[in-house]
Amino acid sequence: MNVLIKNIYNPFKTQCQIVRNLHVSPIYLKTQAGRYRITPKKDFPLTYEMANPPHMIASRKAWNSWNTSNVQGGLRSSETAVEDHFIRKFMIGTWHGLFVSEIIIKRQHNIIRIAGLISRTASSRKMYFLIGYTEELLSIWLQCPVKLELQTVADKKDVIFKYI
Amino acid sequence: MNRLIPLLGWRNVQRCFSSVAASEAISSESETDKLIKTLELEVRGNDPAVLKSFCKFAVTAGNHFGLESKTWNLRKPTNERFTVLKSVHIYKKHRVQYEIRTYFSFVQYSLLTGSTADTLLEYVERNLPEGVALKATKVEVQQMPDHIKSS
Amino acid sequence: MLNLTKNIERIIIRNIEKQYIASYFSAPNEQNDDFKALNLKTNKSQFGPRRPLRKVKPVETRTSQMEVDQDWGSVWPAPRSFHPAVVPLPIRQGYVEKGAPPDKYANAELMKIPNFLHLTPPVIKRQCEALKKFCTPWPKNLNNQEKIEKLFPIEVISSDYCHSSPTIRDPLARIVTIRFKKSALNLNERETDKFRRLVGERYNEENDTVTIVTDRCPLKKQNYDYAMYLLTALYHESKNVEPWEELKNEADMEKYVWENNASKVNVERLFNKTSSEIPNISVYSEALVNYMNEGENDYTVAKYGEAVKQLLNLPSSTK
């Protein structure tokens, strides 16, 4: 008990008591979305798509979704956005680790064409199955014909544009 | 029963007539063709280069059909701009601006018949590239209706 | 019979039992001696040497097997994303600060941009030739604008829309516009006046056209029928004379007509003649009508003064 009291009244202890303060400073207003930070070793691989920040769309790089919802007077913009997101999620999950580029979705009339680059690691048999599976399921869900237009690359390094 | 028989007979006759009339209409193609003075396509898209290529295609197709066709475009796009806060919640001074550019191009064909217009439109619309919306405006010429002409 | 089958069954079952017992006693005898230890730690020696991955040799690209004079339309028949193995062109796309842009192999930019490789000029020509059999030529006699306007005075304007969406409906496609010249209706003075009042701002005075836009029905056909109904109704309504229309007096006139006005009576009384016998009366009446209809300005006032002097045989101020 004695020891305890001593501890409490220790002048040194009371001095360096930790005080909690609310630290207020302006937020760091730097645009981060779609931009990549340089690594110390400069070994972070970027594709062409990643190397160009979003404000370069329409000048150095093109869009990943091609549809008429975002032109003036376009219909179904929200539905198209949600469907495109769903397609992207589905493609990434189904073709797990195979896509080496962004997924490009092109809509022409009621046809949806999905393009992209995939690595040649999966066997061709598996790939044929996946193509059929994806087309069939997506066309049932989205109620319109879906086509896959894939291009294979031998090595993942083929798509790398630069290292930062 | 007596009344029924002539009734049945009349019905049969009628049916015969109607079938004859229908078959005649199909064989002789009595439907008159429409006359379309101008057919104007308005294409809009986000990428001017795609529109340019498409208009070139449409004009080439029109020329192959033997039609007078021309194309022009609006040089500047219409911009739809959204100005939003850069931050999620406060800091009014820091804004981001997003814009959607829509480019317009036009193709015009003049003096076509209805069947030519349908064929051409079908062909051109089928080859519409992705991300391009099309509006086809037909100016059809018609005769005055008979009930206005005669009186 | 029953007994016999029972007996057979019994024999069979007994035989099976015998076999099982024999196998039970004979089988474990051999394995009992070396009981396999459960090996939790796996080491590499446990498995055999790893099979080398079978590398599938990629098929030779199609571009290398193409002939120079091949039919490109059958190589690329329909719209499709770019594929470097099919297109034998050294295309490059992309922006590099220093050096050449990225080439076609594994280039996502080339896959994004819509290509027109299926619409090369010879292919367009071939397809148009094939489609021409569905076309009909424009009537040869109907070659100039005046003839078309005279024979086919009504213009029906409607639009079709083409979007990239699963539905082909566009609510704007329902709108129908009809346009015609007022002169095509052959209305007389009174009917024209009534027609103008009925049509209101849909009439354009500059080019004498009436434009009726209908968009209140959900379908194009219905809107067209409605527009034609409006045209008919307008025509017959302006032909129709209601009893209260006879009550129209000078104050209701939309423009000044000299023949109906007090001016004519006054002039006739002044000269004691009917208006047709008075010299220079046409100049006077024209100047007065212009003055009343166009409003007061220097030109009309001067003109009116001149006309009055001529009518009364007074010396003109300019002389």
Side-chain angles (χ1 to χ4, degrees):
Chain A
M1 197 63 199
N2 224 353
V3 177
L4 226 166
I5 290 162
K6 251 188 191 171
N7 266 345
I8 288 167
Y9 288 104
N10 191 344
F12 179 73
K13 271 251 159 130
T14 46
Q15 260 183 5
C16 68
Q17 208 174 24
I18 300 160
V19 180
R20 269 192 190 177
N21 279 327
L22 188 67
H23 181 72
V24 181
S25 68
I27 52 161
Y28 188 41
L29 285 165
K30 197 184 166 196
T31 317
Q32 282 288 332
R35 291 155 179 87
Y36 294 88
R37 219 183 287 171
I38 298 172
T39 49
K41 283 186 178 175
K42 303 230 169 172
D43 59 349
F44 185 69
L46 289 186
T47 61
Y48 184 82
E49 166 83 26
M50 290 153 84
N52 288 300
H55 63 265
M56 286 298 176
I57 293 173
S59 55
R60 282 193 200 168
K61 67 175 183 181
W63 296 265
N64 280 326
S65 292
W66 288 81
N67 50 56
T68 62
S69 303
N70 40 22
V71 298
Q72 207 178 51
L75 303 171
R76 280 172 50 89
S77 44
S78 58
E79 286 96 331
T80 309
V82 171
E83 279 174 17
D84 279 7
H85 192 70
F86 172 72
I87 291 170
R88 292 221 160 84
K89 285 268 173 197
F90 180 79
M91 292 300 285
I92 290 167
T94 311
W95 298 76
H96 192 85
L98 288 176
F99 264 93
V100 292
S101 76
E102 305 292 315
I103 292 150
I104 302 155
I105 301 170
K106 300 173 172 185
R107 285 155 182 269
Q108 200 175 15
H109 309 298
N110 65 342
I111 301 170
I112 299 177
R113 284 153 52 205
I114 302 168
L117 295 165
I118 52 170
S119 65
R120 232 172 264 162
T121 44
S123 65
S124 50
R125 204 171 159 185
K126 198 170 167 185
M127 245 179 245
Y128 280 128
F129 166 73
L130 280 178
I131 289 173
Y133 172 81
T134 317
E135 285 183 354
E136 184 69 23
L137 280 184
L138 281 178
S139 56
I140 288 168
W141 283 323
L142 304 173
Q143 290 294 311
C144 51
V146 177
K147 278 197 247 175
L148 280 185
E149 288 166 345
L150 302 171
Q151 185 184 323
T152 56
V153 289
D155 195 357
K156 276 188 183 181
K157 279 181 184 165
D158 290 345
V159 293
I160 287 159
F161 180 63
K162 68 176 181 186
Y163 290 90
I164 60 164
Chain B
M1 198 61 202
N2 225 357
R3 281 172 69 195
L4 246 172
I5 290 163
L7 231 167
L8 270 175
W10 169 236
R11 213 175 255 175
N12 280 338
V13 169
Q14 226 181 4
R15 203 171 281 166
C16 285
F17 267 123
S18 66
S19 67
V20 166
S23 65
E24 263 178 3
I26 292 162
S27 59
S28 67
E29 288 173 10
S30 59
E31 194 191 337
T32 48
D33 214 345
K34 290 173 182 170
L35 291 175
I36 288 158
K37 204 165 85 175
T38 51
L39 171 62
E40 193 177 300
L41 310 180
E42 183 204 281
V43 278
R44 39 176 92 178
N46 299 120
D47 200 334
V50 176
L51 292 188
K52 196 182 161 197
S53 302
F54 177 73
C55 287
K56 198 175 173 188
F57 153 71
V59 167
T60 319
N63 288 338
H64 285 313
F65 275 87
L67 299 168
E68 218 180 286
S69 35
K70 58 179 176 183
T71 175
W72 69 95
N73 57 345
L74 301 184
R75 208 165 49 80
K76 282 189 176 175
T78 37
N79 290 324
E80 204 179 325
R81 290 207 176 92
F82 307 96
T83 314
V84 289
L85 296 183
K86 199 175 209 180
S87 162
V88 183
H89 182 39
I90 42 173
Y91 303 110
K92 203 178 176 182
K93 280 185 184 173
H94 298 82
R95 306 272 183 124
V96 196
Q97 204 169 47
Y98 296 95
E99 76 175 21
I100 300 173
R101 292 179 203 155
T102 310
Y103 290 85
F104 289 80
S105 283
F106 300 88
V107 182
Q108 195 188 55
Y109 307 105
S110 45
L111 305 185
L112 334 80
T113 54
S115 52
T116 313
D118 286 345
T119 318
L120 181 67
L121 259 186
E122 179 90 21
Y123 179 52
V124 167
E125 280 177 5
R126 271 181 193 278
N127 287 311
L128 202 64
E130 46 272 31
V132 175
L134 183 137
K135 173 190 175 187
T137 309
K138 286 180 196 166
V139 180
E140 191 192 332
V141 286
Q142 287 186 355
Q143 283 176 319
M144 262 304 168
D146 290 330
H147 52 271
I148 291 179
K149 244 192 300 189
S150 57
S151 54
Chain C
M1 193 65 194
L2 241 170
N3 279 340
L4 212 148
T5 48
K6 266 186 184 171
N7 277 339
I8 291 168
E9 268 179 18
R10 214 174 284 157
I11 291 161
I12 291 168
I13 289 167
R14 220 172 265 166
N15 278 338
I16 291 168
E17 272 176 358
K18 264 183 193 170
Q19 277 176 6
Y20 267 113
I21 291 161
S23 65
Y24 178 72
F25 281 113
S26 58
N29 272 346
E30 297 156 1
Q31 288 179 4
N32 266 350
D33 299 333
D34 51 328
F35 185 78
K36 259 191 174 175
L38 179 64
N39 199 359
L40 287 173
K41 265 191 179 174
T42 52
N43 51 350
K44 273 186 183 172
S45 61
Q46 215 172 334
F47 307 105
R50 204 167 180 188
R51 250 191 310 163
L53 268 175
R54 234 182 341 135
K55 279 229 168 173
V56 184
K57 221 178 160 188
V59 192
E60 208 174 340
T61 56
R62 203 173 160 189
T63 45
S64 60
Q65 299 159 356
M66 281 176 176
E67 284 169 30
V68 181
D69 57 343
Q70 64 172 339
D71 175 27
W72 177 249
S74 48
V75 175
W76 199 283
R80 196 192 162 200
S81 294
F82 182 84
H83 199 288
V86 187
V87 183
L89 306 169
I91 305 171
R92 289 170 170 271
Q93 165 117 9
Y95 173 83
V96 183
E97 270 177 43
K98 281 175 190 170
D103 70 341
K104 62 176 180 174
Y105 174 68
N107 192 340
E109 288 306 300
L110 275 173
M111 298 181 80
K112 283 179 195 174
I113 187 86
N115 61 54
F116 284 77
L117 289 167
H118 58 292
L119 291 173
T120 48
V123 172
I124 299 174
K125 194 175 179 189
R126 194 200 306 162
Q127 289 173 343
C128 286
E129 292 300 324
L131 284 171
K132 256 187 183 172
K133 62 171 174 275
F134 301 111
C135 302
T136 46
W138 180 261
K140 274 192 183 127
N141 298 331
L142 209 65
N143 43 13
N144 61 354
Q145 202 65 34
E146 287 83 50
K147 270 186 192 168
I148 296 172
E149 229 160 68
K150 199 185 159 205
L151 293 169
F152 299 92
I154 302 180
E155 286 182 357
V156 181
I157 305 161
S158 59
S159 298
D160 298 310
Y161 294 81
C162 202
H163 292 284
S164 63
S165 70
T167 168
I168 56 168
R169 314 273 167 229
D170 189 312
L172 292 176
R174 75 183 192 284
I175 300 168
V176 175
T177 308
I178 64 167
R179 201 162 60 186
F180 54 92
K181 286 242 167 34
K182 197 196 70 198
S183 56
L185 291 176
N186 294 325
L187 300 171
N188 65 22
E189 195 93 345
R190 192 203 63 80
E191 290 157 5
T192 307
D193 172 41
K194 192 171 181 189
F195 184 80
R196 292 261 330 253
R197 283 166 198 269
L198 287 172
V199 170
E201 62 189 5
R202 292 173 193 84
Y203 176 68
N204 186 355
E205 237 168 297
E206 282 167 19
N207 46 13
D208 189 41
T209 48
V210 183
T211 313
I212 297 172
V213 183
T214 47
D215 60 349
R216 53 173 65 184
C217 303
L219 294 180
K220 189 185 275 180
K221 178 78 170 63
Q222 293 171 340
N223 275 318
Y224 168 72
D225 287 343
Y226 179 58
M228 293 318 266
Y229 157 75
L230 282 182
L231 169 64
T232 315
L234 276 172
Y235 179 75
H236 287 290
E237 197 55 47
S238 40
K239 287 257 174 194
N240 192 13
V241 183
E242 298 286 338
W244 46 263
E245 278 179 53
E246 306 293 345
L247 304 174
K248 184 178 173 185
N249 57 18
E250 208 44 54
D252 301 325
M253 284 296 181
E254 70 287 345
K255 65 181 181 187
Y256 183 87
V257 182
W258 184 73
E259 277 80 16
N260 308 341
N261 268 288
S263 167
K264 187 192 174 193
V265 182
N266 290 344
V267 168
E268 279 177 349
R269 205 167 54 206
L270 196 70
F271 285 86
N272 257 336
K273 289 177 192 170
T274 54
S275 61
S276 54
E277 292 166 1
I278 303 165
N280 291 330
I281 191 67
S282 61
V283 180
Y284 171 73
S285 63
E286 213 171 271
L288 186 60
V289 165
N290 269 343
Y291 174 77
M292 297 299 269
N293 287 340
E294 281 179 28
E296 193 175 306
N297 56 37
D298 285 351
Y299 179 74
T300 50
V301 169
K303 202 93 185 164
Y304 176 65
E306 283 296 307
V308 171
K309 281 172 185 169
Q310 270 186 26
L311 185 73
L312 301 176
N313 268 331
L314 293 173
S316 175
S317 59
T318 51
K319 276 173 192 170

